[in-house]
Amino acid sequence: MDPFKLLTRSTNLTKAATASKKTASQHTPSTGQNANPQLFGGKDDDSSSNASKKRKRGNPSAVPDLVTEAELDFFGDGKSKNVSSKEKDDDDAGVPNEKNETSKFAKDTLSEEDCKRILRSHKLKITLLNATEPAAADNEGEKKSKKRKKEQATEHANSGKKKAHVQVFPQPLTSFKQLRSRYNISRRLADNLAAQGYTIPTEVQLGGLPLLLGDIGGLEGDKGAHTKSTTKQSLADVDLLTVAPTGSGKTLAFLIPVLNQILARRKAVKDNVEEEELEGPKAIVVAPTRELASQIVNEGRKLALGTGIRVTAMRKGMKPAATFPQDEEDESADEEQESGSDSDHSDSDESTSQEHNQNKKDSKTSKKQRPVVKADVLVTTPLLMLHAISLKGQSATASMPSVRHLILDEADVLLDPLFRDQTLGIWNACINPSLRVSLWSATMASSVEELALSTIESRAITLRLSTHAPLARLVVGLKDSAIPNISHRLIYAATEQGKLLALRQMLHPTSSISDDSSGPPLRPPFIVFTQTIPRAVALHSELLYDIPLEAGGSSRIAVLHSDLSDTLRSDVMARFRNGSVWVLITTDLLARGVDFRGVNGVVNYDFPSSGASYIHRVGRTGRAGRDGGVAVTLYTKEDIPYVKNVANIIAASEKLRRDERPSHKAAGPVSSQISSTIQPWLLDALPTPSKRDKQRLKRRGVEARRSDTAGPGTEAGAGTGARDGGSKSRISTKSGFDRKLENRRKGAKMASQKAKKSSSSSAAAAATAGTPAAHEEDSDGNEWGGFD
Ligand SMILES: Nc1ncnc2c1ncn2[C@@H]1O[C@H](COP(=O)(O)OP(=O)(O)OP(=O)(O)O)[C@@H](O)[C@H]1O
C-alpha cells in the first residue's frame, strides 16, 4: 500500500495524480533499492559490485553465492578460497575451531599496501591512541607526512609521557565469508548472518570486525606486550572507540565479536582449556533509551539463534552479579580486602571470586536470594543497571566480575555529564581484568576520547593490572558529519505559525515541499522531532485530524515520548514499524540509534539542540546506504543565532555527496539532483554562535520553546497566560476564544477525574505507603529524552 496514494485519495487535483505517478518511479528508502550498504569506496574499488543485489531476509537462496563473496578479492591473486570439505567437517560443530586458522589466514592475507588502499578508499582511519610499542611507531615512520611527524613531535614534547598515536592498517573484511575463512567464527553465527541477507560488510564492519576479532594490523608481533591472554579467542586485545555514520551497521559490528567470543570461551571451558566461567552476564550493552535497548536485543537474538547464547533486556529486579551487596551488606569489607590482595593475577582473582561466591552461597542458605540473571548478553539503559548494582544507602556498587565485554552504544551521550556518573559506575563495576570495552557513536567529542583513555588507565591502576590494552580509534568518513546519501532542506518559516503551516503542507501530497523540483519529495512514513514532550503532544493533537479519514485518519499519526507507559511506547513503535503509522511525532528520545528501515524522511519541526542532535535525527532516514531520504529543518527568528552550525553540517554533507558518491548518481533521478542547499552567502550572513550559546542551546533548547518560559498552566506554550515568548511559541491555530473554551472544558474534566481518583485511591495509597515502588518507577523512567 502506498501511503502517498492514499493521502491523495480525497484530493481531486490533477497535480496530485502527476505527483503520485512521478514518485512511483523514484528511489526512496522504502522501495528497498540501492541496497549497497556502503557509503564510500565506489570510486576506488569494486566492493560495491554486488550493489544491485537485493537483500532478502530469511531466504538464503536469494543471497548472492557466498563462495563468490569469499572470492571477492580486489587486489589479491584471484586464487580460489573455497573451504575444503575436510575443513567444513571440522567446522560443523558451530563453534570456532583453531585448526587450520593460521593457514586460512595466510591464504587470505592482503599486502600492507593493499590494506591501506582499501581502508583509505572506504574512508577508514584506525589509530591506536595509547600505543606504547616503539616498533609500532616505526610502522608508519617511513611514509609519514612531514606535517604528521611534526604534530607527533609536538604531542610528545607537550605531554612529556604522552603515548604515541599510531595509525594501523588491519586486513579489511571485504566479505562476510571471511569471518569464517579468516577469523574462524562460529559456523552458526555465520549462518545466522547469511540467513538475514547480509552480504557486503559496511565500512564500520569492514574495519571494525577485524580489529575486534583479533587483527590490529602492524602490531601482531607485539601483542604479547600488552596481553596475558590464555586463549586464542582473546586475541582481540584492543578497546575500541568507533565513530561511524548513522545507519552504518555499528550494531552488527559490536555484536558479532562478542557473541563469537562467548561461544569460543564456552568451547574452551568444555575442552578444559579454560576454567569454568563465573556466574552472571558475560557482556553488557548500555544504550541510552529503552527503544534502542530492545532493538539491540532483537538484533542480538537473531544473530544468536541456535547458539545457546541468551540475549536479554535488563528489567527491574534482575540481579546481574553473583556477589551482591544488597544481599549481604556486611561482607563488603571482606570483599574489598580480597580484591585488593589478588587483583594482580587474573586467574587467582577469578578463583577467589568463585570461592567467595561459594562461601556466600553456603552462608546464606537461610536467606532468600534472587538468582543471578541467566543472560549471557544483558542490554540495559544506564540507570536501570546502576540501580540493580547499587548498594542501598551507599554510593558503592556491586561488582560484576563475570562481565568481559562492555559496549557503550551512543557513547557520547552515555558519557555526557547527564549520564556520566551512571555509565562510569557500570564501567567500574566490571572488575574482570580481561574486560574489553568498546564505545560507539556517529558523533564523538574529543572530551569523550580523553575520558575513555583516563578511565581505562585509572581502572588499570585500581585493579592493579600491570598493563592494559591499547585503545584503538576507528573513524569512518568525516568525523561528526551527516550521512551523504540524504537530501537536506533548511526552510525559514519565520514564526511558530509558519512552521505549523509548513508541516501541514508537508502532510498535503501536492505541497511544494512534498513535490519539490529541487530534490526528492518528502513522503510518509516520516518522523517529526520537537524540542519537548509537551510540544510533541500539542503538535500531535493539532495535526490529529489532518490526514483524511479515507487514508486512515488519526490512526496514521502518533506521538511517542518518555512520559508514555512502556506498553504504549512499544505499541507505537510496533505500529510505526509495520507501516500503520505514517507520521510519528517524537522528541530526541528517538533521535539516536533507532532503526526504522523504511523511513523516507525526517522533519526537524523544532530546531535541534546541537550539531550532534541534527546528525542523529536526520540519520533516522537513509539507513544502510539507502538513497532518497529527505531531512527538512524548519527554523524561525528565534533559531537564527544557532542555524550556522547546522548549515555547516549540511554543506559538508553535500560536498561529501558530490565528491564521494558520484557512482550513486546512476541510482536514479533523485541521486542525480545533488544541488547545494546552503549557498555560501547564507553561511556568510548567519551569525556564528559562541561556545556559550551552543552550550546553553544544548542544555536548555531554544529558550522561547521551553514549557517553563512559555507560560503557566500551558502545554508547550499553548496556553493563554503567556510570558514573553508564550504566544509566539504556541503550537496551535485555534483562536484565543476557542482555546479558552477548550481549556475550561479540559479543566472541568480533569477536576472531576481527580475527584474520582482521589476517593478511590485513598485506600490503595494507604496500603502501599512506605514502599519504594513509586520512587523506582520514577527513577526507572528517567531515560534520555533529549538534553532539554
Ligand atoms: N552489512 C550490511 N548490509 C546490509 N544492511 C546492513 C548491514 N549491516 C547493517 N545493516 C542494516 O543497517 C541498518 C542500520 O544498522 P544499525 O542500526 O546497526 O546502524 P548504526 O550504525 O547503529 O546506526 P545509528 O548510529 O543510527 O545507531 C539496520 O537495518 C541493519 O540491519
Side-chain angles (χ1 to χ4, degrees):
M1 183 192 290
D2 183 352
F4 187 83
K5 278 186 190 156
L6 267 181
L7 277 175
T8 61
R9 201 172 274 177
S10 65
T11 327
N12 194 13
L13 295 174
T14 40
K15 204 178 167 196
T18 331
S20 79
K21 246 187 230 165
K22 189 179 164 191
T23 49
S25 64
Q26 273 166 337
H27 290 260
T28 61
S30 52
T31 62
Q33 291 180 33
N34 188 29
N36 178 7
Q38 297 179 340
L39 288 171
F40 311 110
K43 277 196 300 192
D44 306 290
D45 66 52
D46 40 348
S47 62
S48 53
S49 58
N50 280 316
S52 59
K53 286 178 187 160
K54 208 170 161 181
R55 186 181 152 226
K56 283 197 181 145
R57 194 171 278 275
N59 182 6
S61 62
V63 174
D65 183 7
L66 288 178
V67 174
T68 324
E69 281 286 306
E71 287 167 352
L72 195 81
D73 181 359
F74 312 132
F75 309 102
D77 56 9
K79 280 179 196 158
S80 168
K81 295 177 186 74
N82 291 1
V83 182
S84 73
S85 59
K86 171 78 184 66
E87 285 165 6
K88 198 166 179 276
D89 290 345
D90 290 340
D91 294 338
D92 274 346
V95 286
N97 189 338
E98 288 170 27
K99 228 190 270 178
N100 298 325
E101 195 178 321
T102 327
S103 62
K104 275 184 198 168
F105 190 90
K107 207 162 55 166
D108 214 8
T109 305
L110 298 172
S111 73
E112 192 178 326
E113 269 317 299
D114 290 341
C115 291
K116 284 183 183 173
R117 211 156 110 197
I118 296 177
L119 293 171
R120 280 185 186 139
S121 76
H122 285 278
K123 288 201 157 286
L124 284 159
K125 189 169 179 191
I126 304 161
T127 316
L128 292 184
L129 297 180
N130 49 1
T132 45
E133 291 80 357
D138 293 338
N139 210 4
E140 61 160 2
E142 282 171 40
K143 294 196 172 171
K144 198 164 44 180
S145 71
K146 272 185 188 168
K147 193 177 160 215
R148 183 71 196 117
K149 273 184 185 169
K150 208 172 157 187
E151 273 172 20
Q152 282 198 353
T154 332
E155 269 172 25
H156 282 290
N158 291 344
S159 57
K161 271 199 275 173
K162 197 170 176 179
K163 288 168 184 169
H165 285 199
V166 181
Q167 195 173 349
V168 291
F169 304 93
Q171 297 281 320
L173 184 90
T174 51
S175 137
F176 280 125
K177 187 70 182 168
Q178 287 167 346
L179 289 175
R180 288 279 295 153
S181 64
R182 193 191 283 170
Y183 300 105
N184 203 30
I185 72 156
S186 149
R187 183 181 179 75
R188 193 59 60 70
L189 199 54
D191 287 350
N192 289 344
L193 202 59
Q196 288 185 63
Y198 296 118
T199 54
I200 312 167
T202 60
E203 277 83 3
V204 69
Q205 295 158 0
L206 187 140
L209 284 170
L211 280 174
L212 292 172
L213 289 166
D215 176 10
I216 52 169
L219 283 184
E220 288 92 340
D222 297 313
K223 268 178 199 161
H226 51 69
T227 177
K228 290 199 284 177
S229 67
T230 51
T231 67
K232 270 264 166 71
Q233 287 72 38
S234 49
L235 273 174
D237 254 330
V238 282
D239 292 325
L240 185 64
L241 182 140
T242 307
V243 193
T246 51
S248 64
K250 293 186 280 294
T251 317
L252 273 191
F254 64 67
L255 282 178
I256 294 172
V258 165
L259 297 180
N260 187 56
Q261 279 160 40
I262 294 175
L263 286 174
R265 217 166 288 117
R266 257 188 206 170
K267 183 168 189 294
V269 172
K270 209 167 127 200
D271 296 348
N272 289 327
V273 181
E274 273 197 8
E275 280 181 43
E276 195 68 35
E277 294 253 58
L278 289 174
E279 206 184 357
K282 311 294 171 280
I284 289 182
V285 183
V286 190
T289 63
R290 228 174 289 176
E291 279 72 17
L292 181 53
S294 78
Q295 182 181 296
I296 296 169
V297 170
N298 278 342
E299 287 299 306
R301 285 185 181 158
K302 279 187 269 172
L303 272 184
L305 208 69
T307 59
I309 294 181
R310 274 163 296 205
V311 184
T312 307
M314 179 83 188
R315 287 188 306 276
K316 229 185 279 174
M318 275 184 176
K319 184 180 160 184
T323 45
F324 224 67
Q326 273 104 322
D327 294 333
E328 204 158 336
E329 289 177 19
D330 41 329
E331 284 197 12
S332 56
D334 299 351
E335 229 171 71
E336 261 172 42
Q337 236 178 7
E338 281 175 27
S339 64
S341 58
D342 289 318
S343 55
D344 280 356
H345 311 286
S346 58
D347 291 342
S348 62
D349 196 25
E350 285 180 11
S351 57
T352 310
S353 300
Q354 277 174 329
E355 277 168 30
H356 185 62
N357 293 347
Q358 193 53 47
N359 291 342
K360 278 180 115 184
K361 269 182 204 161
D362 295 344
S363 70
K364 292 203 320 171
T365 40
S366 59
K367 285 187 187 177
K368 216 177 172 191
Q369 260 196 39
R370 282 178 294 159
V372 179
V373 63
K374 289 263 184 283
D376 299 294
V377 180
L378 203 52
V379 188
T380 181
T381 52
L383 200 63
L384 200 54
M385 176 56 85
L386 196 74
H387 272 295
I389 58 172
S390 289
L391 186 58
K392 265 179 203 140
Q394 292 181 34
S395 58
T397 54
S399 52
M400 297 185 283
S402 63
V403 178
R404 285 167 178 267
H405 305 274
L406 176 66
I407 293 146
L408 306 181
D409 196 11
E410 307 300 340
D412 53 334
V413 158
L414 295 176
L415 292 173
D416 186 87
L418 193 71
F419 275 138
R420 188 175 295 163
D421 290 346
Q422 298 162 22
T423 308
L424 292 181
I426 298 168
W427 193 338
N428 289 325
C430 300
I431 56 161
N432 192 313
S434 320
L435 178 83
R436 287 290 153 269
V437 63
S438 57
L439 301 91
W440 306 77
S441 184
T443 50
M444 201 81 84
S446 52
S447 58
V448 174
E449 195 173 298
E450 281 156 27
L451 185 62
L453 276 168
S454 66
T455 310
I456 290 169
E457 278 176 18
S458 64
R459 193 180 160 275
I461 294 167
T462 316
L463 295 176
R464 301 192 191 169
L465 305 176
S466 55
T467 177
H468 61 79
L471 176 67
R473 178 183 59 201
L474 165 64
V475 180
V476 180
L478 269 184
K479 205 164 167 268
D480 298 335
S481 66
I483 39 173
N485 52 325
I486 56 174
S487 306
H488 303 262
R489 254 166 267 174
L490 193 57
I491 298 173
Y492 181 61
T495 61
E496 289 293 324
Q497 288 292 311
K499 289 204 302 195
L500 198 50
L501 290 172
L503 186 55
R504 284 220 146 92
Q505 218 180 7
M506 284 177 228
L507 286 174
H508 198 282
T510 54
S511 75
S512 57
I513 297 168
S514 283
D515 183 16
D516 190 341
S517 57
S518 68
L522 174 74
R523 301 170 61 224
F526 59 81
I527 307 181
V528 181
F529 285 101
T530 63
Q531 182 173 304
T532 61
I533 296 175
R535 286 179 66 80
V537 174
L539 187 60
H540 177 240
S541 46
E542 189 62 37
L543 297 176
L544 202 54
Y545 303 106
D546 271 45
I547 296 181
L549 266 180
E550 297 89 323
S554 58
S555 69
R556 298 294 183 200
I557 184 160
V559 64
L560 183 75
H561 52 77
S562 59
D563 273 0
L564 296 179
S565 70
D566 269 6
T567 332
L568 265 177
R569 277 163 79 167
S570 356
D571 175 60
V572 174
M573 289 290 281
R575 287 194 294 129
F576 193 56
R577 279 191 202 284
N578 71 24
S580 55
V581 167
W582 296 345
V583 179
L584 181 59
I585 301 171
T586 185
T587 61
D588 273 330
L589 177 77
L590 289 196
R592 283 175 176 256
V594 182
D595 180 53
F596 300 109
R597 258 177 226 146
V599 166
N600 287 321
V602 166
V603 178
N604 288 316
Y605 185 81
D606 287 341
F607 206 74
S609 60
S610 64
S613 167
Y614 180 81
I615 291 166
H616 287 276
R617 280 179 176 190
V618 301
R620 294 317 97 204
T621 185
R623 314 282 292 167
R626 289 174 177 86
D627 277 316
V630 178
V632 179
T633 304
L634 302 173
Y635 68 103
T636 63
K637 293 205 285 298
E638 283 77 26
D639 301 312
I640 289 176
Y642 315 112
V643 172
K644 192 165 189 168
N645 209 7
V646 165
N648 276 326
I649 292 173
I650 297 176
S653 162
E654 285 175 344
K655 183 172 184 307
L656 199 63
R657 186 170 180 170
R658 280 191 296 271
D659 295 351
E660 291 296 326
R661 291 172 66 86
S663 60
H664 289 252
K665 280 183 185 170
V670 169
S671 308
S672 56
Q673 296 161 354
I674 307 176
S675 54
S676 290
T677 309
I678 308 296
Q679 300 301 325
W681 57 260
L682 182 63
L683 283 177
D684 290 342
L686 287 167
T688 308
S690 68
K691 208 173 161 189
R692 226 169 120 222
D693 286 344
K694 282 190 199 169
Q695 279 169 350
R696 202 181 315 119
L697 179 72
K698 189 178 160 195
R699 242 188 11 257
R700 293 181 59 83
V702 175
E703 210 60 48
R705 278 179 212 124
R706 287 176 62 86
S707 7
D708 55 354
T709 50
T714 63
E715 255 195 359
T720 46
R723 237 196 287 155
D724 184 20
S727 61
K728 288 184 211 155
S729 65
R730 178 187 303 138
I731 298 182
S732 179
T733 43
K734 287 190 190 114
S735 70
F737 181 71
D738 285 345
R739 266 197 316 279
K740 215 169 171 179
L741 284 181
E742 198 179 296
N743 280 344
R744 270 193 205 150
R745 265 201 307 272
K746 267 190 198 163
K749 208 171 152 192
M750 270 165 68
S752 82
Q753 277 172 353
K754 217 171 157 187
K756 265 189 211 163
K757 226 175 166 181
S758 66
S759 62
S760 66
S761 65
S762 54
T768 51
T771 64
H775 163 75
E776 271 172 31
E777 182 56 51
D778 186 19
S779 53
D780 209 7
N782 186 9
E783 280 177 53
W784 192 71
F787 283 99
D788 182 30

